[in-house]
Amino acid sequence: MTSKNEILERKDIPKEKKWDIESMFADFSEWEKSYNNAKEMAKNFESYKEKVVSSSENLYNVLNDMGDLYRITEHLYSYAHMKLDEDTREGNSQALSDKGLGLYVEVGEKTSYVVPEILTLDLATLEKYYEEKPELKLYKKHIDDIMRQKEHVLSAREESILAQMGEVANSPQKIFSMLNNADIKFPTIKDEEGKDVEVTHGNFIPLMESKDRDVRKRAFEALYTTYKGFKNTFAASLNGDLKKNIFNATVRNYKSSREASLDQNNVSLSVYDNLIKSIHNNLDSMYKYMTIRKRALGVEELHMYDLYTPIVKDVDLKIPYEEGVELVKKALVPLGGEYMEAVEEGFSSRWIDVYENRGKRSGAYSGGSYDSKPFILLNYHDTLDNVFTVAHELGHSIHSYFTRKTQPYIYGDYSIFVAEVASTANEALLMDYMLKNVKDKNEKLYLLNHYLESFRTTVFRQTMFAEFEKTINEYLEDGGALTADYLCETYKKINELYYGPDVVVDDEIAMEWARIPHFYYNYYVFQYATGYSAAVALSEKILEEGKPAVDRYINFLKSGSSDYPLNVLKAAGVDMTTEEPVNNAMKLFSKLVDEMDKLI
């Protein structure tokens, strides 16, 4: 659409390549009217205080009205942040986003008494309420989930104190963010053309992908040497954040912060442990991939700064958006008629904001609310990666589309544990289609390299992160001191284990823990690896079994949070409580490694 260096203003992007945000609110004044209505609803909600469980009628009305309040708040905030993402320079949109976020906080405060009051109910009274008010059964799973965690919920007074401490408790994460994003500055190095370029968070990976090994080495050393200068501050902020999680787990009667985190989705510790065990049992495939990379790059020693540069040279795939769309459509045909109808609707009904414009938020995401289209933000630039991004975000959006069409609002979303499954399954189907149809040997190698890197960064690397997170938390919980030296030593050892004998694990990589924001997310990263493994398993079943697997998969997409994530996945054909899904994903990885070995 545009030349490589030309970035248009928002107004110059064709309407059909912009999302249909007007279908949410025609203008700001309509948003304001809905916002004022939500404020009034939040104020009126206080009338239920100390009466939530006084009768079956009251309990039903409280849950209904709370759902309505959150539903309108979600719609308002979704519009506000999407409007800001269109052009982050726009002052009115900034104000709208701030108001939307403020409303969320206010609604949370106004409804905070509901769960503690529900927890005062005994099971006999609850059963009586279901008989008296059959409509209340809609909320049974929701109430069961609240009651399931009863022993971990404190008194109303104690919960209030913990809530008030929220801002203070988030200080370590804020300190990390400010140091990492605002204060830390990296040196200037020479690029491929001998020009000065300052290393930044944004250009570090492109520099690591450089064909010039000296550039890669200079960027690698510049980044991690700088982090080393702040190692004690980074260690102190991470230590503070982990101690906060341990404190919260302890006061809520959990045995560990890991148990507390996983319990939110009713996921057992064995799922986490099985992931690490399965990856350990399949590290030989990773070692072989590193051997191939070393051979392909023609280096005597393979260093950590050699891991991101493409193995296959001189393949420059340019895929315009319309061409990328057709590729994605062809690849997703195995998902059947109902799925493809949703795909066609997505591309024809302006779900997607396609191109970059000045001021637009970077990256890509799937968004929207329960009452809107499942919108997609892209910044499309004619690359293979961008085609996979289209498939990925479309997977998220169609998951949301089916969930919202099928489930009532209370179950109209899905848990983080399954969030990456539908998106990654689409990527797997796209890769399968492209590998089956590619003719050129170099292009096939390029695709294999892309797929193997996806495995390396999403399954192996995220599992490595998960193991590091588990190790340092357990060390802290056992009374250990989380010093910078301990963190560096532990992180370097785990890299040596995961990358194997053919990789020189440079001393600088010992500081990588300091730049990973996910270590402040309290046992989040393992879900990337489990989600990817589940997606690979489901996509293989779809290709092998056809309609029975497709039917199960569509039901999975429609389930939302009507059941726990492990149960929803099991019904789709993947049991994440066993090692089988990860082991099967590893079999595919091993097969792809062998294929690349023959071609190089």
Side-chain angles (χ1 to χ4, degrees):
M1 179 193 148
T2 63
S3 71
K4 184 179 178 183
N5 298 316
E6 185 184 4
I7 301 176
L8 300 177
E9 291 292 338
R10 181 80 186 169
K11 62 182 175 59
D12 298 320
I13 304 283
K15 183 179 178 180
E16 66 272 14
K17 294 296 187 285
K18 292 190 277 195
W19 54 22
D20 179 26
I21 199 170
E22 302 81 16
S23 60
M24 295 182 77
F25 294 100
D27 51 38
F28 284 179
S29 64
E30 193 178 299
W31 188 92
E32 285 286 348
K33 196 183 296 181
S34 183
Y35 172 80
N36 291 332
N37 180 36
K39 294 273 285 184
E40 190 64 26
M41 287 170 68
K43 184 181 174 185
N44 292 339
F45 196 82
E46 289 185 297
S47 64
Y48 285 121
K49 204 164 192 178
E50 297 179 0
K51 302 173 191 169
V52 173
V53 295
S54 59
S55 68
S56 56
E57 184 76 20
N58 251 25
L59 180 55
Y60 177 75
N61 289 338
V62 165
L63 293 172
N64 240 17
D65 289 356
M66 189 162 77
D68 289 345
L69 180 54
Y70 271 101
R71 186 168 171 174
I72 191 172
T73 301
E74 176 198 356
H75 195 65
L76 284 159
Y77 179 67
S78 292
Y79 175 88
H81 91 75
M82 285 169 57
K83 196 69 188 166
L84 178 61
D85 290 345
E86 290 181 349
D87 188 347
T88 56
R89 304 168 300 178
E90 177 55 51
N92 287 336
S93 299
Q94 292 169 6
L96 215 65
S97 182
D98 287 345
K99 286 178 76 172
L101 188 57
L103 179 63
Y104 248 125
V105 173
E106 183 180 345
V107 168
E109 290 171 0
K110 300 289 188 190
T111 59
S112 63
Y113 60 86
V114 173
V115 168
E117 288 195 37
I118 288 174
L119 286 171
T120 64
L121 274 173
D122 59 73
L123 293 179
T125 305
L126 195 51
E127 287 303 321
K128 181 165 78 83
Y129 281 1
Y130 288 138
E131 287 178 28
E132 287 177 2
K133 187 81 176 172
E135 300 97 313
L136 188 59
K137 288 180 182 175
L138 167 67
Y139 295 101
K140 188 175 186 308
K141 190 264 175 181
H142 177 66
I143 295 170
D144 285 350
D145 202 32
I146 292 171
M147 302 304 277
R148 178 181 68 82
Q149 299 181 71
K150 186 171 185 173
E151 65 178 296
H152 305 296
V153 177
L154 308 179
S155 70
R157 168 79 175 144
E158 289 166 332
E159 287 290 349
S160 174
I161 292 168
L162 281 180
Q164 290 172 54
M165 283 294 293
E167 210 167 325
V168 176
N170 283 331
S171 293
Q173 190 171 354
K174 286 182 180 177
I175 291 166
F176 164 78
S177 182
M178 284 307 201
L179 179 57
N180 197 46
N181 297 316
D183 293 343
I184 200 166
K185 300 290 179 210
F186 303 107
T188 295
I189 64 166
K190 297 287 184 186
D191 68 8
E192 293 94 333
E193 297 167 2
K195 294 177 182 174
D196 287 341
V197 56
E198 182 185 347
V199 177
T200 66
H201 290 297
N203 69 14
F204 177 64
I205 293 300
L207 287 168
M208 294 293 285
E209 291 171 344
S210 172
K211 294 176 182 176
D212 189 324
R213 199 179 192 208
D214 288 334
V215 171
R216 301 198 301 269
K217 187 172 188 286
R218 285 195 289 266
F220 180 81
E221 290 174 348
L223 186 99
Y224 289 116
T225 302
T226 305
Y227 273 105
K228 192 174 182 180
F230 296 91
K231 69 176 185 177
N232 295 310
T233 306
F234 278 113
S237 67
L238 183 57
N239 185 44
D241 197 66
L242 299 189
K243 281 186 173 177
K244 169 202 72 179
N245 297 334
I246 292 167
F247 168 78
N248 283 334
T250 302
V251 298
R252 292 191 180 283
N253 303 310
Y254 286 105
K255 293 174 185 172
S256 67
S257 56
R258 186 164 68 112
E259 183 186 46
S261 177
L262 270 62
D263 191 47
Q264 300 306 304
N265 283 320
N266 200 21
V267 173
S268 69
L269 295 179
S270 63
V271 173
Y272 200 105
D273 296 333
N274 284 342
L275 170 68
I276 294 171
K277 183 181 174 187
S278 294
I279 296 302
H280 278 198
N281 290 338
N282 288 280
L283 284 173
D284 55 336
S285 296
M286 169 60 86
Y287 298 167
K288 184 173 181 178
Y289 177 44
M290 290 297 103
T291 303
I292 294 168
R293 172 170 280 275
K294 181 180 177 182
R295 187 172 84 234
L297 292 177
V299 293
E300 286 186 22
E301 292 184 339
L302 188 70
H303 285 259
M304 299 303 288
Y305 49 80
D306 296 320
L307 298 187
Y308 286 91
T309 189
I311 288 177
V312 186
K313 309 295 183 188
D314 304 321
V315 175
D316 191 19
L317 288 176
K318 291 290 179 194
I319 308 173
Y321 178 67
E322 284 73 15
E323 205 177 297
V325 167
E326 289 308 310
L327 259 177
V328 170
K329 284 182 183 178
K330 288 173 184 173
L332 299 182
V333 165
L335 289 169
E338 189 175 6
Y339 193 94
M340 292 311 296
E341 281 177 25
V343 169
E344 292 293 346
E345 184 177 336
F347 286 125
S348 63
S349 300
R350 293 179 56 209
W351 288 8
I352 307 173
D353 207 77
V354 179
Y355 293 113
E356 184 178 7
N357 59 253
R358 293 197 180 278
K360 186 177 176 180
R361 175 195 154 138
S362 63
Y365 66 74
S366 166
S369 73
Y370 184 81
D371 293 301
S372 79
K373 296 175 180 180
F375 291 109
I376 295 171
L377 179 134
L378 299 175
N379 283 276
Y380 194 89
H381 276 291
D382 295 4
T383 66
L384 178 66
D385 274 347
N386 280 195
V387 179
F388 276 91
T389 300
V390 172
H392 183 99
E393 300 305 338
L394 190 66
H396 282 309
S397 281
I398 292 180
H399 193 176
S400 299
Y401 174 81
F402 279 128
T403 291
R404 292 166 188 168
K405 277 185 71 175
T406 310
Q407 297 296 333
Y409 177 74
I410 188 69
Y411 307 124
D413 202 356
Y414 40 85
S415 100
I416 292 294
F417 189 81
V418 300
E420 293 301 323
V421 173
S423 53
T424 310
N426 273 12
E427 286 195 67
L429 291 170
L430 175 59
M431 180 57 76
D432 180 81
Y433 175 82
M434 293 186 77
L435 282 172
K436 283 174 178 171
N437 288 279
V438 70
K439 301 289 190 287
D440 181 78
K441 177 189 168 183
N442 263 9
E443 282 191 17
K444 184 169 188 178
L445 274 169
Y446 187 85
L447 288 169
L448 285 169
N449 188 192
H450 185 281
Y451 205 4
L452 289 168
E453 280 301 290
S454 183
F455 267 95
R456 180 180 75 81
T457 55
T458 311
V459 182
F460 286 96
R461 191 163 185 258
Q462 299 298 335
T463 304
M464 183 181 79
F465 285 171
E467 185 172 354
F468 175 72
E469 190 173 8
K470 176 178 182 282
T471 302
I472 62 174
N473 269 285
E474 288 176 350
Y475 181 72
L476 200 55
E477 285 166 339
D478 287 342
L482 218 61
T483 64
D485 288 343
Y486 167 78
L487 289 165
C488 289
E489 182 185 334
T490 305
Y491 194 79
K492 188 174 184 214
K493 277 183 183 172
I494 209 167
N495 270 270
E496 288 168 346
L497 170 65
Y498 274 71
Y499 284 106
D502 264 338
V503 179
V504 176
V505 178
D506 304 275
D507 289 340
E508 288 87 353
I509 203 67
M511 278 306 305
E512 188 180 34
W513 60 267
R515 65 182 283 259
I516 309 298
H518 296 78
F519 292 145
Y520 293 79
Y521 294 2
N522 197 19
Y523 290 105
Y524 183 92
V525 292
F526 85 101
Q527 296 167 120
Y528 288 117
T530 53
Y532 195 100
S533 300
V536 167
L538 289 170
S539 64
E540 287 192 320
K541 287 176 189 292
I542 286 161
L543 292 167
E544 289 166 11
E545 296 177 28
K547 192 175 186 304
V550 169
D551 290 345
R552 293 195 304 269
Y553 183 68
I554 298 296
N555 285 334
F556 158 73
L557 298 179
K558 291 177 177 180
S559 296
S561 56
S562 62
D563 201 349
Y564 293 116
L566 288 176
N567 296 342
V568 167
L569 278 173
K570 196 169 186 178
V574 179
D575 187 355
M576 293 306 297
T577 64
T578 71
E579 294 175 42
E580 186 185 1
V582 180
N583 286 337
N584 284 345
M586 289 298 95
K587 282 178 190 171
L588 175 60
F589 178 77
S590 181
K591 178 185 162 191
L592 294 167
V593 169
D594 290 344
E595 199 169 343
M596 175 170 264
D597 193 23
K598 289 172 189 169
L599 289 171
I600 281 195

